[in-house]
Amino acid sequence: MIYAPNTVPGYGFKKIHILKRSHSISTTGRSMPEKYKDSGKWFWGILAAASPKDIELYRQNQHPVTHTIVQHGTIETADEENLLYVEGDGAYSVSVKPSPKGIDTTMIYHVEERRDLNERIEWNCSGDGGQDKNSNSAENAEGC
């Protein structure tokens, strides 16, 4: 972990994976349930509960918000259609992605907790001779 000396255990920077939505169509032409696949991109960030002011503000704009994620740096960024997986905390859908002052030195994501999507995540882990192992278990993110 980075910058760990001045934080309470469990409240420091965490590894956050960016998951992309994938669509598929069955052989009969019907839409299949959406899956979220590991894009291989991640960043360091801090997860915090959203303030009551933010919850009310975004609820009025039809964007439910439960938490805020502050990203360290902007090398890898997520879009509104992405899902963010915080190791040890679960999946969060991006509701709003404002860039503070437009300078792109840090990103703030207003997200909604989505525990119902954990079983729709496909992790691509390298191992066993370089073959990809797909698993629908969100607990495998830390082993990738």
Side-chain angles (χ1 to χ4, degrees):
M1 292 272 166
I2 55 176
Y3 309 119
N6 295 325
T7 59
V8 175
Y11 290 111
F13 283 84
K14 295 183 180 183
K15 192 174 185 179
I16 301 174
H17 298 269
I18 300 172
L19 307 172
K20 294 194 179 227
R21 182 184 305 170
S22 66
H23 300 282
S24 60
I25 297 176
S26 70
T27 56
T28 60
R30 293 183 179 223
S31 178
M32 301 287 284
E34 293 178 337
K35 297 248 182 209
Y36 290 90
K37 294 186 178 183
D38 185 15
S39 67
K41 298 177 181 180
W42 61 273
F43 59 85
W44 291 109
I46 294 179
L47 174 70
S51 68
K53 179 181 174 185
D54 285 341
I55 292 171
E56 183 63 27
L57 174 69
Y58 291 111
R59 186 171 58 103
Q60 289 176 359
N61 293 333
Q62 303 298 318
H63 294 288
V65 170
T66 59
H67 292 78
T68 301
I69 294 176
V70 179
Q71 176 182 349
H72 177 68
T74 59
I75 295 172
E76 303 290 345
T77 60
D79 295 323
E80 280 82 3
E81 69 264 5
N82 294 134
L83 191 70
L84 299 177
Y85 181 80
V86 180
E87 290 188 356
D89 285 318
Y92 297 86
S93 64
V94 179
S95 293
V96 183
K97 182 187 94 167
S99 175
K101 304 293 183 189
I103 57 176
D104 289 338
T105 57
T106 215
M107 295 300 291
I108 298 175
Y109 301 97
H110 296 288
V111 297
E112 178 186 12
E113 185 174 19
R114 295 297 304 268
R115 299 223 182 247
D116 59 323
L117 296 179
N118 283 341
E119 60 273 356
R120 293 188 185 178
I121 298 173
E122 291 184 0
W123 295 103
N124 294 323
C125 301
S126 60
D128 294 340
Q131 297 177 356
D132 288 343
K133 296 182 285 186
N134 289 330
S135 172
N136 291 337
S137 175
E139 289 85 23
N140 290 335
E142 296 168 9
C144 292

